[in-house]
Amino acid sequence: MLNKMGETIALFRLYRDTGEEEWSIRAEELLDDIWNECTEMSLAYGDGLCGIGAGTEYLIQNGFVEGDADEILAEIDSRVFAAINARPPFDLSIEQGISGLACYLYHRLCYRKDSEEPVVLNLKEYTIYLIDWIAEALQDDATGKDYYEVYFILVLLHTLNIMNAKIENLLEWCNKEITAAHVKNR
């Protein structure tokens, strides 16, 4: 599904660059297909709702399509919030795990990180809970970890200026683990 969203974004960009209507028509058809297929989709970023939501946010914020992202993405937001509250056994990956939820929240907030709108404040609140979940998952030996992916996501979250002291501590943790892995593999 993320491949379809990537293709959709590329086609909208082609339309903007060339002005050729066929690219816009194809992009709109793909976007309709994506939204029609997502009724019972997983929450994952790699092949699920979080990836679709992030792509949709990008398209709206960059003027490729019109719409109210808060209205369009309300159901995905709700499912992300429920997952953060429940903290099911996810790994830390971007594609299928906790970092994918973080990536989605990053995309929802990056265009308006200084806003005080109620929806934005709610997204920020859940980003705080998600950062706490990442911290717990990093300490859990049973959680699968790709420290490079987690580091990348933490760097993105740091740009939002939400709980930066905690994020900096988590970045140090990841850096130590990455360094230790490199020393071990020498």
Side-chain angles (χ1 to χ4, degrees):
M1 195 55 61
L2 196 56
N3 288 340
K4 276 189 174 180
M5 183 55 80
E7 184 179 350
T8 302
I9 291 169
L11 289 171
F12 274 119
R13 293 195 67 81
L14 270 171
Y15 170 67
R16 182 174 282 170
D17 293 345
T18 66
E20 293 184 33
E21 194 70 28
E22 68 185 88
W23 300 124
S24 175
I25 292 168
R26 178 70 182 125
E28 288 174 11
E29 289 171 352
L30 264 175
L31 190 57
D32 286 343
D33 289 348
I34 290 167
W35 277 100
N36 288 332
E37 292 175 17
C38 70
T39 53
E40 292 298 318
M41 196 171 282
S42 78
L43 200 53
Y45 189 84
D47 61 359
L49 293 173
C50 284
I52 291 169
T56 301
E57 180 77 45
Y58 174 85
L59 290 170
I60 292 169
Q61 295 304 328
N62 287 281
F64 292 108
V65 296
E66 291 183 15
D68 180 347
D70 294 336
E71 185 178 306
I72 294 167
L73 301 174
E75 181 63 31
I76 298 175
D77 289 351
S78 178
R79 287 192 54 193
V80 168
F81 298 164
I84 292 169
N85 283 334
R87 296 187 182 189
F90 280 6
D91 64 19
L92 274 163
S93 73
I94 293 172
E95 190 168 323
Q96 298 292 322
I98 300 168
S99 293
L101 301 178
C103 202
Y104 171 77
L105 289 175
Y106 167 77
H107 284 287
R108 290 285 285 128
L109 288 167
C110 71
Y111 297 100
R112 54 193 182 158
K113 59 187 174 189
D114 296 324
S115 172
E116 297 289 325
E117 297 171 45
V119 171
V120 173
L121 293 176
N122 205 24
L123 290 164
K124 288 178 179 181
E125 177 184 358
Y126 277 89
T127 301
I128 290 168
Y129 301 148
L130 184 77
I131 292 166
D132 288 339
W133 188 13
I134 290 171
E136 289 173 16
L138 283 171
Q139 295 173 13
D140 183 358
D141 291 334
T143 305
K145 299 172 188 70
D146 180 335
Y147 290 104
Y148 293 105
E149 282 191 1
V150 176
Y151 192 91
F152 170 74
I153 291 302
L154 290 170
V155 168
L156 287 180
L157 292 177
H158 193 270
T159 67
L160 298 175
N161 202 24
I162 299 171
M163 288 188 65
N164 276 356
K166 185 163 195 163
I167 290 173
E168 289 163 8
N169 288 337
L170 295 173
L171 285 167
E172 284 181 36
W173 173 292
C174 289
N175 194 30
K176 287 178 189 173
E177 294 296 327
I178 290 168
T179 302
H182 280 288
V183 169
K184 182 180 175 181
N185 291 332
R186 283 187 181 183

